[in-house]
Amino acid sequence: MRKKLALGLLALTLLCACTEKKEPERKVFAENEFKEWAQTPPMGWNSWDCYGPTVEEHEVKANADYMAEHLLKYGWEYVVVDIRWFVENDKAGGYNQTDPRYVLDEYGRYQPAVNRFPSSKDGKGFKELADYVHQKGLKFGIHIMRGIPKEAVARKMPVKGTDGITADQIYSKENLCKWLSDNYTVDTSKPGAQEYYNSIINMYADWGVDFIKVDDLSAPYYHKDEIDMIRYAIDHCGRPIVFSTSPGETPIEEVEHVRSHANMWRMVNDVWDVWGDIDHLLSVCQKWYPYIAPGTWPDCDMIPLGRISIRGERGEDRMTRLTKDEQYTLMTLFTIFRSPLMFGGDLPSCDDFTLSLLTNEEVLKMHKESVDTRMLYRKADKVAITSRHPQTGAIYLALFNTSNDKEIPVSVDLKDLGIEGTVELTNLWTGQSMGKASGKVEQRLKPHASILCKITQ
């Protein structure tokens, strides 16, 4: 009898061992290999400007459908679900911080809310939605907050990959997010801290995530230790995942650290459809030109054009409040600066003018292929930025009038561009010839207007 019982227990043990889901073997990427994943500035759509923290699966799919049909051939490829996809009862115009209903798994990791993302039922996470996006030739991304859920800490939930460590043993109340109260800081000195970040990044990799925007990393406090852990976790998850840090003005003093850890980093807080945000960007960009490089991109934030704030964080459902001149100016800055391009408007609602801003082949060629981007000057109400094409030798020049009420001439001496003699000028947005010039390039511009031209000899 004892022998039979022992054999039965042994068989049960072997059965459990065989049926237990094992952690997959994961490729480990080499140091700095992540830069190969974003050799040109990432381009895509992000749900934030349209839907704030309330986006639903059918809306994500509708934007993916539009991108695949109209924008993929121009280089637009990322579809990114922004903040708080794990809250069942969030709201437009801010955040529900009174009685949020979080969705977590047994390891204290946020899961998509099934009432908003039906394909995530039965613990499938974003796998089916990512598959839908991938089948269209696109890439899938998500937003997360740095840190560990307060609910996981309160419930002392286990940290996957550890021997009995629980969430309440790896958290800190230092430097908490000032505008959203979901998470605690991860105390990177504690055993289990790295395993926590490994566990969530591995889960995202298994879902098929290609892009991750991690919030509250950069300002007002630069969370270097948590950035280190996220970089390590991505490099060991087996899947190339582009890493974006956000939000706020990343300290220039941390430039060497951020560009050795992230593919893109925010330079400013959220950019909305007001002129002051564009003017502020023109100022902040001044210190970041030297660090524009393949694989690592200073980020101007999302593009608040087209139809925005359907259920957004700021303002009512509307078409962008920027004038056409201001829209050209925003897109001219974003493209000549070679910022990542994450469109914030609802793509299915695009009008012809908005679509023209996203599909201009010559402008996107400059954005993708140009080199040596630099600001020639910012003085009074005038800004001049230039770059060049490494193969054709064409020089790109953007001139801006930042005045609120004056039409003024804005000019650049050709010698400052390293050019002598007579040149041909082409308006890059319209494709029309602007004639010849010698000595200098000069344009009279209305307030908030700009010109983007290609210079050839």
Side-chain angles (χ1 to χ4, degrees):
M1 175 64 75
R2 289 182 181 177
K3 186 175 181 180
K4 287 183 179 180
L5 182 60
L7 288 172
L9 290 172
L10 177 60
L12 182 61
T13 301
L14 290 172
L15 178 63
C16 291
C18 291
T19 57
E20 183 180 353
K21 189 175 180 180
K22 293 182 179 179
E23 185 71 13
E25 292 278 339
R26 299 182 186 274
K27 176 181 177 180
V28 177
F29 296 104
E31 185 178 3
N32 288 320
E33 189 173 350
F34 75 92
K35 296 177 183 179
E36 299 297 321
W37 310 338
Q39 283 290 289
T40 57
M43 298 167 58
W45 173 82
N46 181 293
S47 63
W48 170 250
D49 286 354
C50 292
Y51 301 106
T54 71
V55 71
E56 298 178 2
E57 183 167 349
H58 66 96
E59 293 159 334
V60 177
K61 287 183 173 180
N63 279 272
D65 293 346
Y66 186 98
M67 184 182 292
E69 182 176 353
H70 300 284
L71 297 176
L72 176 58
K73 62 185 176 182
Y74 297 98
W76 300 85
E77 60 179 348
Y78 289 96
V79 175
V80 182
V81 177
D82 209 88
I83 198 166
R84 270 189 147 198
W85 38 265
F86 45 80
V87 175
E88 294 179 332
N89 60 337
D90 222 323
K91 64 175 186 175
Y95 303 99
N96 176 11
Q97 301 198 71
T98 304
D99 60 345
R101 295 196 304 271
Y102 302 113
V103 183
L104 288 83
D105 71 0
E106 67 270 31
Y107 296 106
R109 302 175 297 183
Y110 289 126
Q111 303 294 303
V114 175
N115 63 323
R116 293 168 53 194
F117 300 93
S119 70
S120 68
K121 65 181 179 180
D122 301 323
K124 288 180 288 191
F126 276 128
K127 181 68 169 66
E128 288 194 6
L129 182 54
D131 287 347
Y132 181 91
V133 170
H134 292 151
Q135 287 164 8
K136 293 184 171 292
L138 304 171
K139 296 180 179 180
F140 181 70
I142 60 172
H143 167 291
I144 67 167
M145 297 297 298
R146 70 167 181 89
I148 189 165
K150 289 183 177 179
E151 185 170 328
V153 171
R155 292 166 58 184
K156 300 183 178 180
M157 301 182 81
V159 176
K160 187 172 184 179
T162 67
D163 186 14
I165 295 175
T166 51
D168 58 299
Q169 296 174 298
I170 66 168
Y171 84 103
S172 167
K173 293 184 179 180
E174 296 295 316
N175 298 310
L176 299 185
C177 179
K178 296 184 181 300
W179 47 268
L180 191 60
S181 58
D182 295 339
N183 289 2
Y184 288 121
T185 296
V186 172
D187 185 341
T188 58
S189 70
K190 296 292 182 66
Q194 182 64 64
E195 287 80 1
Y196 166 72
Y197 270 117
N198 293 348
S199 76
I200 62 170
I201 299 298
N202 287 345
M203 179 176 66
Y204 304 151
D206 294 342
W207 288 349
V209 170
D210 306 295
F211 178 101
I212 182 171
K213 171 184 171 184
V214 187
D215 215 329
D216 195 46
L217 277 178
S218 303
Y221 180 83
Y222 184 77
H223 293 269
K224 182 180 291 188
D225 290 347
E226 285 192 74
I227 292 172
D228 287 343
M229 288 196 163
I230 295 166
R231 175 77 270 144
Y232 180 92
I234 294 174
D235 285 345
H236 289 75
C237 78
R239 183 178 183 86
I241 300 178
V242 169
F243 175 25
S244 166
T245 71
S246 183
E249 299 192 11
T250 300
I252 190 67
E253 299 79 16
E254 300 292 353
V255 63
E256 295 304 327
H257 183 266
V258 75
R259 69 177 184 161
S260 65
H261 287 74
N263 294 107
M264 47 191 275
W265 58 88
R266 283 273 290 279
M267 300 181 295
V268 293
N269 287 321
D270 290 0
V271 170
W272 282 101
D273 52 333
V274 292
W275 170 253
D277 287 359
I278 303 172
D279 193 42
H280 179 60
L281 261 178
L282 282 162
S283 293
V284 172
C285 284
Q286 294 180 77
K287 58 190 175 185
W288 291 106
Y289 289 95
Y291 306 108
I292 300 168
T296 55
W297 307 101
D299 178 13
C300 288
D301 193 28
M302 283 171 283
I303 299 170
L305 303 184
R307 183 185 178 193
I308 59 175
S309 212
I310 294 172
R311 296 191 305 278
E313 184 245 3
R314 199 165 305 183
E316 301 298 321
D317 186 350
R318 63 185 182 276
M319 295 301 287
T320 185
R321 294 172 294 196
L322 297 173
T323 67
K324 285 192 174 182
D325 279 343
E326 291 168 343
Q327 292 181 61
Y328 275 123
T329 291
L330 181 147
M331 289 300 295
T332 294
L333 172 61
F334 276 52
T335 52
I336 197 166
F337 185 78
R338 306 193 73 198
S339 171
L341 303 180
M342 290 290 167
F343 186 71
D346 181 58
L347 288 173
S349 304
C350 266
D351 58 0
D352 290 342
F353 177 69
T354 303
L355 186 60
S356 75
L357 295 174
L358 306 181
T359 58
N360 185 299
E361 292 186 21
E362 284 297 309
V363 173
L364 293 175
K365 179 182 178 69
M366 173 194 69
H367 173 254
K368 182 178 181 179
E369 300 177 5
S370 63
V371 296
D372 297 339
T373 306
R374 59 193 175 98
M375 188 179 71
L376 294 167
Y377 64 78
R378 178 180 174 103
K379 54 188 179 184
D381 297 323
K382 306 175 183 181
V383 180
I385 303 169
T386 187
S387 64
R388 66 178 178 86
H389 195 279
Q391 278 78 47
T392 68
I395 300 293
Y396 301 110
L397 178 64
L399 304 176
F400 303 85
N401 174 6
T402 61
S403 165
N404 291 322
D405 53 13
K406 295 180 292 185
E407 180 176 315
I408 56 176
V410 185
S411 64
V412 166
D413 290 339
L414 288 176
K415 66 180 181 181
D416 293 335
L417 299 172
I419 300 174
E420 295 181 357
T422 301
V423 297
E424 294 276 352
L425 304 177
T426 303
N427 184 318
L428 218 58
W429 283 111
T430 67
Q432 295 176 343
S433 172
M434 298 166 57
K436 298 181 183 294
S438 59
K440 68 178 180 179
V441 177
E442 182 173 274
Q443 286 285 305
R444 289 195 66 84
L445 298 173
K446 296 177 182 179
H448 301 179
S450 60
I451 190 76
L452 177 61
C453 61
K454 180 170 67 174
I455 303 172
T456 54
Q457 287 186 297

